[in-house]
């Protein structure tokens, strides 16, 4: 089996750290009982291992290809996507009203992790479709919802996000695609969009493009962007498919990784105009697109966790199988390389970063559930703010660490890792896009620094730090050696984050370039401190279970040891990051353009 | 131009840090005057930019291929290699006696850096040939030297290293290839070797394989390995080529990167036995091979610096060209992305790591020259010990950072970085092998911990730390803000390294697994502290030149700023690494195999 979902760790995180029982108690989340959750995860684990994971290498070797305007996906993808839709997996977190299962994000999150771990390229199609569903749910008219949602949620149709243009990447103010109003209330859309994931493919009957464009006389910049639905095939009043719309894929990219996922150049309106309908109000497109983006950003963060887990499983297997060199402590003959300390260090580094980033993401998902479902408006508001603080960290940190983890995965394989047939290199190649799309790490970091930290004077950040401090105190109070060692690093990390939040808040207005010089290090610091906080909580709980006796002692002992590793090897980078942020802008900003 | 050799920085490092004038004063190095060096470097810069760099992308797109036992290299490689040989570039550092130029390693090193930066795949063939030349110079008989050296040094023939077998990678004790003595004094060699770089190709008239094999009744393990010359074509007494030997390439690998460089499976003796001649004495093969390996390890370290430099140049160009988003400090319209603080941070991070690792490697090269040429035996001995201490660091640290630098290079390109046509991804894929071949980073780190640190009780390590401390004192004494900031980080780094050397020496015998758990972090710590030391020296010198006035003020100012960046962003990781090493083994070693 090339991928086995880490159900034990997923359930531990959901139950012990993210508070599944609290989520289950929320109005509207009553179906998400522990038993239901476990049953769903087990079924998803089976499906992803047996059906989806097996297509991963095939997709790398025989990627999607373009011919005469059509895109043909890797053999097996179409059938697998049909099974995916029919089993209801697209609809886990979407409203029952439109055919979904209406389950909490906390449950959807491990489901999504499994899908990505099994096959990043495949899972991108549902990820983008989720985004389209979210946007229509929030900003679409009743007619839009009636026309599109059921088929998107059932997996009969898929969705896309059309933002980027050749001159407009991170900077959407530069969008030039035009939407010209017609007498019948529709618009004709003209323009070129690039980097459109699953912009064209053969896995669904229709593709619902959500497209950013400007109406005539719209204001300059991001305030003049509107959002349009431009379906591949028009939809008749009775729901049947009508004429082919004037939106065509003219080429797909030849990429470093996620090769099975077609990355399309879409040409709108080359033959008279693509027919689009406005979503919500004119000039509010960016706001709506951010709904998709935020959902997608969290999803890409999960891709980071997922591809890291997949690489870890492969590396562990190789380290157990490959026999080379004697044990350092002395052995008669050569041993499997998992006995060698540095191989262990590499595996623990992978494992610790995966567990830390998974825990932080699931905890964030539970916050999102509370933000949506809690009976108390104040609790909803607090959780929304906390969730929004975590989204750029989940996206940025989980994906950055996936680069390290997948690279380490290659390294564990030695020379075999460099041979494509081994498969370790695919994860490394695939991961590299994660820190780029749906907003680069710098974009996430700027969001964290600006909207999420400076805007409220660091209030939410400080609430998190206070929780870190509380856990640190609990750890220190136990007297257990591992927990005390974790507490020591957590204290250093919390202090570093305090200093940095203070620095950001104090200098944001007066010296914005200095603050943004440290934005990515700040994001990484927040990741290691908050990931370390979750690992520390996990260690406390696991240690208590160990002391209580019974249960899965091996699992709990490993959890404590992994948290200890996280503290000494990952969280221990906090002080250095603090230096880079607080003292580091002089070096960042000193050179003139000519000096480069 | 896709690559322009950074001559200014190379010459600064050679003159100011590595002491070219001292090297030039050594017996036998009189030809390496400042003028000669500059002329040679300028010519090599021209050759690598115009002839070699232009073949880099072509090699990735149309790699070497195998057909019926023959390997055909990328179009243009054969002609370029002929020019390379005829211009004398293979012979820069080799003895004039056999047609080389007999110039110091300090001069050969930038020449080699340029070649690797221009084209890693191409440059591997000379790199392996250098190794074969070194081995024959040291261990070959006069007849061996007469038969092979001139043609290897002229580039007419090339060399290979045949160590690895399917079951024997890092662990050469497992080598099974057999060498059976014949009545005429030759041996018949039988076995399979894998991962043989340029084991077969069409760029040279003959290929000189140096092969590790066991004679009958040889001792078990590494003490029973001998080294053999197995030429592709036998060499007649008059030097002309004779019969085709029974050494054949049966396949080449499909790799993540360095695709133009054929990685061969060589089959020896399938048709009666490959004819080999013993090098030196029986059972001393590993010792001889280490001569090649050490030369090659330093060379691979330079590959790390080189590919990082290439990626940096590409990223700088893109950052200057790509216009996106307004300046944070306010601008009317969008600006080139080099104006954005995080893009600058990324570029500075690349630049600082390149300059630091280049400086350390060149300084090591000068030590090697003194170890070979100095009139005083004691000075030779000290320099040899210092050089040997640095070799695993140059190899391990420079290549590890090249993974970070090339990944950052992709990131600077945003979405375009993920598109293969852009070319940034090639450097990222190419770099990934560098931490693996010629001994993985763990192998380098074990060498550093064991032979280089523990064996002499940390004596050489402490001599380096004392030099770091001296520079720190000089910096502190200046009162200049940047230099003081650098001193502060250097002090923390020196202390961290002191603690770690003490930890290694104290625990090497009593708790070897704990020590080796931290071996790679120790290697990285040594890299950042010693690289930081060189950057600090550079800053002192550049600052003094600035204060003296005149000269290239822009260059000197950039040097100080880059050193400042190095201190706050790279050297600042030292304290965290110390924690990982001194406290981190508990987390590394806690899990049982089953718990993974």
């Amino acid at each position: 089996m090339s991928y086995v979902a880490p159900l034990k760790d997923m359930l531990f995180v959901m139950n012990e750290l993210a508070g599944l029982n609290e989520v289950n108690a929320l109005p509207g989340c009553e179906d998400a009982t522990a038993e239901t959750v476990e049953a769903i995860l087990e079924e998803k684990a089976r499906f992803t291992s047996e059906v989806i994971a097996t297509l991963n290498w095939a997709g790398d070797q025989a990627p999607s290809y373009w011919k005469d305007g059509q895109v043909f996906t890797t053999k097996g993808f179409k059938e697998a996507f049909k099974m995916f839709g029919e089993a209801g997996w697209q609809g886990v977190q979407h409203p029952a009203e439109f055919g979904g299962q209406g389950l909490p994000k906390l449950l959807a999150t491990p489901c999504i992790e499994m899908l990505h771990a099994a096959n990043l390229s495949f899972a991108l199609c549902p990820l983008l479709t989720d985004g389209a569903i979210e946007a229509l749910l929030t900003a679409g008219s009743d007619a839009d919802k009636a026309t599109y949602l059921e088929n998107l949620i059932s997996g009969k149709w898929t969705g896309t996000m059309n933002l980027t243009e050749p001159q407009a990447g991170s900077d959407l103010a530069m969008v030039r695609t035009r939407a010209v109003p017609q007498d019948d209330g529709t618009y004709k859309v003209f323009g070129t969009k690039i980097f459109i994931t699953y912009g064209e493919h053969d896995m669904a009957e229709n593709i619902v493009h959500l497209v950013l464009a400007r109406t005539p006389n719209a204001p300059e910049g991001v305030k003049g962007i509107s959002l349009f639905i431009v379906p591949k095939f028009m939809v008749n009043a009775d729901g049947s498919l009508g004429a082919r719309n004037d939106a065509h894929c003219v080429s797909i990219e030849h990429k470093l990784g996620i090769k099975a996922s077609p990355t399309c150049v879409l040409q709108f309106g080359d033959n008279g105009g693509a027919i689009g309908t406005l979503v919500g109000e004119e000039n509010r497109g960016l706001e709506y697109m951010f709904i998709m983006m935020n959902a997608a950003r969290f999803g890409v963060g999960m891709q980071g966790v997922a591809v890291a887990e997949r690489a870890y499983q492969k590396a562990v297997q190789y380290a157990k199988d490959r026999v080379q060199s004697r044990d350092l402590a002395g052995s008669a003959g050569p041993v499997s390389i998992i006995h060698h300390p540095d191989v262990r260090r590499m595996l623990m580094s992978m494992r610790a970063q995966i567990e830390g980033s998974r825990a932080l993401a699931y905890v964030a998902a539970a916050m999102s559930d509370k933000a949506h479902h809690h009976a108390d408006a104040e609790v909803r508001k607090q959780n929304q703010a906390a969730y929004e603080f975590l989204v750029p960290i989940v996206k940025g940190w989980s994906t950055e660490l996936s680069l390290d983890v997948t690279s380490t995965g290659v390294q564990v394989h030695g020379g075999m890792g460099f041979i494509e047939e081994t498969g370790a290199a695919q994860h490394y190649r695939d991961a590299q896009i994660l820190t780029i799309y749906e907003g680069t790490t710098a974009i996430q970091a700027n969001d964290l620094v600006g909207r999420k930290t400076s805007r409220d004077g660091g209030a939410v950040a400080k609430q998190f730090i206070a929780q870190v401090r509380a856990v640190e105190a609990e750890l220190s109070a136990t007297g257990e050696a591992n927990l005390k060692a974790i507490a020591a690093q957590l204290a250093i990390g919390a202090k570093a984050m305090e200093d940095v939040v203070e620095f950001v808040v104090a200098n944001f207005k007066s010296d914005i370039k200095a603050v943004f010089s440290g934005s990515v290090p700040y994001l990484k610091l927040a990741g290691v401190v908050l990931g370390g906080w979750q690992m520390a909580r996990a260690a406390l709980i696991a240690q208590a279970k160990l002391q209580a006796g019974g249960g899965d002692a091996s699992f709990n002992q490993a959890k404590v040891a992994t948290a200890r590793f996280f503290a000494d090897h990952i969280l221990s980078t906090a002080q250095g990051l603090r230096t880079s942020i607080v003292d580091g802008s002089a070096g960042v900003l000193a050179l003139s353009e000519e000096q480069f």
Side-chain angles (χ1 to χ4, degrees), chain A:
Chain A
M1 204 75 89
S2 63
Y3 170 68
V4 178
L7 283 179
K8 220 180 249 187
D9 196 55
M10 288 172 159
L11 288 166
F12 176 89
V13 173
M14 293 171 79
N15 287 313
E16 306 292 345
L17 302 180
L20 175 61
N21 55 348
E22 287 174 47
V23 170
N24 185 210
L26 297 169
C29 298
E30 295 84 357
D31 289 349
T33 62
E35 295 69 33
T36 303
V37 163
E38 207 165 326
I40 290 175
L41 293 191
E42 278 171 8
E43 179 53 23
K44 185 69 183 264
R46 191 198 59 72
F47 177 72
T48 50
S49 289
E50 292 177 8
V51 179
I52 309 297
T54 52
L55 294 170
N56 192 49
W57 173 244
D60 194 65
Q61 292 303 294
S64 294
Y65 64 94
W66 180 95
K67 202 181 165 205
D68 300 334
Q70 285 187 279
V71 172
F72 300 89
T73 54
T74 303
K75 191 163 177 289
F77 269 45
K78 188 175 174 174
E79 295 71 20
F81 189 71
K82 191 155 183 280
M83 290 171 73
F84 173 82
E86 286 175 357
W89 293 120
Q90 185 76 56
V92 171
Q93 64 187 316
H94 299 303
E97 185 187 351
F98 300 104
Q101 301 186 48
L103 288 161
K105 189 177 181 80
L106 178 56
L107 171 54
T109 297
C111 289
I112 285 169
E113 183 191 324
M114 291 183 212
L115 193 68
H116 287 302
N119 196 325
L120 278 189
S121 284
F122 179 90
L124 275 167
C125 191
L127 183 149
L128 272 299
T129 302
D130 275 341
I133 293 166
E134 294 282 348
L136 292 176
L137 279 169
T138 315
S141 67
D142 287 347
D144 294 338
K145 292 178 188 170
T147 307
Y148 296 105
L149 280 179
E150 205 164 314
N151 283 327
L152 286 170
I153 288 173
S154 72
K156 214 166 147 192
W157 299 351
T158 65
T160 69
M161 289 168 66
N162 289 250
L163 290 76
T164 306
E165 300 176 9
Q167 77 296 343
S170 299
D171 183 10
L172 293 173
M174 306 281 280
V175 161
R176 283 190 204 140
T177 295
R178 292 178 304 123
V180 183
Q182 306 295 306
D183 293 342
D184 65 356
T186 66
Y187 291 73
K188 286 207 167 176
V189 177
F190 303 89
T192 303
K193 294 286 182 179
I194 63 168
F195 294 162
I196 309 307
T197 300
Y198 280 96
E200 175 60 35
H201 62 84
D202 56 1
M203 285 158 45
E205 295 172 14
N206 201 6
I207 302 173
V208 183
H209 303 299
L210 290 176
V211 182
L212 290 186
R214 290 182 189 286
T215 54
N217 310 318
E220 292 271 302
V222 294
K223 288 181 178 156
I225 297 176
S226 304
L227 182 64
F228 297 88
I229 303 172
V230 182
K232 177 179 173 184
F233 289 102
M234 302 309 297
V235 182
N236 297 322
D238 65 355
S240 64
L241 294 183
R244 180 72 166 83
N245 206 350
D246 185 10
H248 295 278
C249 174
V250 296
S251 65
I252 66 173
E253 307 294 348
H254 172 223
K255 307 191 300 293
L256 173 62
I258 56 162
K259 295 186 183 188
S261 150
T263 302
C264 303
V265 177
L266 289 189
Q267 203 64 35
F268 292 91
D270 272 8
N271 303 296
I275 299 168
T277 51
L278 180 70
V279 178
E281 296 171 25
E282 269 190 27
N283 301 330
R284 292 182 61 188
L286 202 71
E287 179 190 325
Y288 306 147
M289 194 54 95
F290 262 105
I291 299 163
M292 299 181 67
M293 293 267 280
N294 274 324
R297 284 175 176 183
F298 184 88
V300 174
M302 289 317 302
Q303 291 192 303
V305 179
V307 72
E309 170 73 33
R310 181 77 181 259
Y312 170 70
Q313 292 189 13
K314 189 163 188 66
V316 166
Q317 198 54 55
Y318 187 81
K320 288 182 175 179
D321 290 346
R322 171 70 171 171
V323 171
Q324 196 77 179
S325 301
R326 284 185 298 177
D327 192 288
L328 267 181
S331 62
V335 295
S336 59
I337 62 171
I338 200 168
H339 289 86
H340 303 317
D342 192 64
V343 172
R344 259 172 201 261
R345 186 192 58 80
M346 289 194 277
L347 295 177
M348 288 302 296
S349 170
M350 299 171 84
R351 178 188 179 103
Q353 292 186 80
I354 293 162
E355 289 190 11
S357 56
R358 174 183 293 130
L360 191 62
Y362 287 20
V363 165
M367 288 172 179
S368 172
D369 287 326
K370 287 177 197 163
H372 281 93
H373 296 288
H374 202 281
D376 184 333
E378 187 52 35
V379 176
R380 288 202 299 276
K381 199 178 140 200
Q382 283 168 1
N383 276 283
Q384 183 64 26
Y387 174 70
E388 286 183 3
F389 185 86
L390 291 182
V391 167
I393 301 169
V394 167
K395 200 286 183 182
W397 181 55
S398 307
T399 60
E400 287 284 337
L401 68 83
S402 80
L403 303 186
D404 179 67
V405 170
T406 54
S407 174
T408 304
V410 173
Q411 187 74 19
V412 170
H413 287 79
M416 290 306 297
F418 202 64
I419 308 299
E420 285 287 2
E421 282 79 356
T422 306
Q426 185 190 352
H427 304 313
Y428 175 68
R429 289 188 286 99
D430 284 355
Q432 185 73 36
I433 191 60
L434 305 181
T435 56
I436 296 171
Y437 65 17
E438 301 302 340
T440 62
T441 306
I443 299 278
Q444 307 304 321
N446 291 353
D447 180 42
L448 180 66
V449 162
R451 275 183 292 270
K452 308 297 168 63
T453 300
S454 165
R455 189 178 285 176
D456 72 356
V460 171
K462 286 174 191 166
Q463 284 162 20
F464 277 109
I465 296 170
Q467 294 183 73
V468 176
R469 287 285 192 198
V471 171
E472 177 213 324
E474 261 191 274
L475 290 161
S476 299
T478 65
E480 199 277 330
N482 282 315
L483 301 192
K484 277 175 68 181
I486 296 168
Q489 292 303 320
L490 207 54
I492 298 171
K495 177 67 171 67
M497 195 158 158
E498 276 162 10
D499 291 354
V500 165
V501 169
E502 198 172 301
F503 168 81
V504 166
V505 172
N507 295 285
F508 191 80
K509 294 237 163 83
S510 57
D511 196 357
I512 190 166
K513 283 208 170 183
V515 171
F516 278 84
S517 293
S519 62
V520 168
Y522 171 32
L523 182 145
K524 290 185 178 174
L525 174 66
V528 300
V529 172
L530 298 180
W533 164 48
Q534 293 306 322
M535 292 303 282
R537 291 182 61 212
L540 267 173
I541 292 162
Q543 185 66 33
K545 284 176 188 272
L546 281 171
Q547 271 155 2
D552 191 339
S554 170
F555 177 87
N556 289 321
Q557 193 262 336
K559 188 54 97 174
V560 173
T562 307
R564 172 74 195 268
F565 183 96
F566 191 101
D568 290 337
H569 294 260
I570 312 296
L571 184 50
S572 57
T573 62
Q575 183 64 17
L577 289 166
R578 179 205 169 281
T579 298
S580 300
I581 302 159
V582 174
D583 302 326
S585 68
V588 173
L589 300 172
L591 267 57
S592 69
E593 186 173 339
E594 296 68 36
Q595 283 174 303
F596 280 97

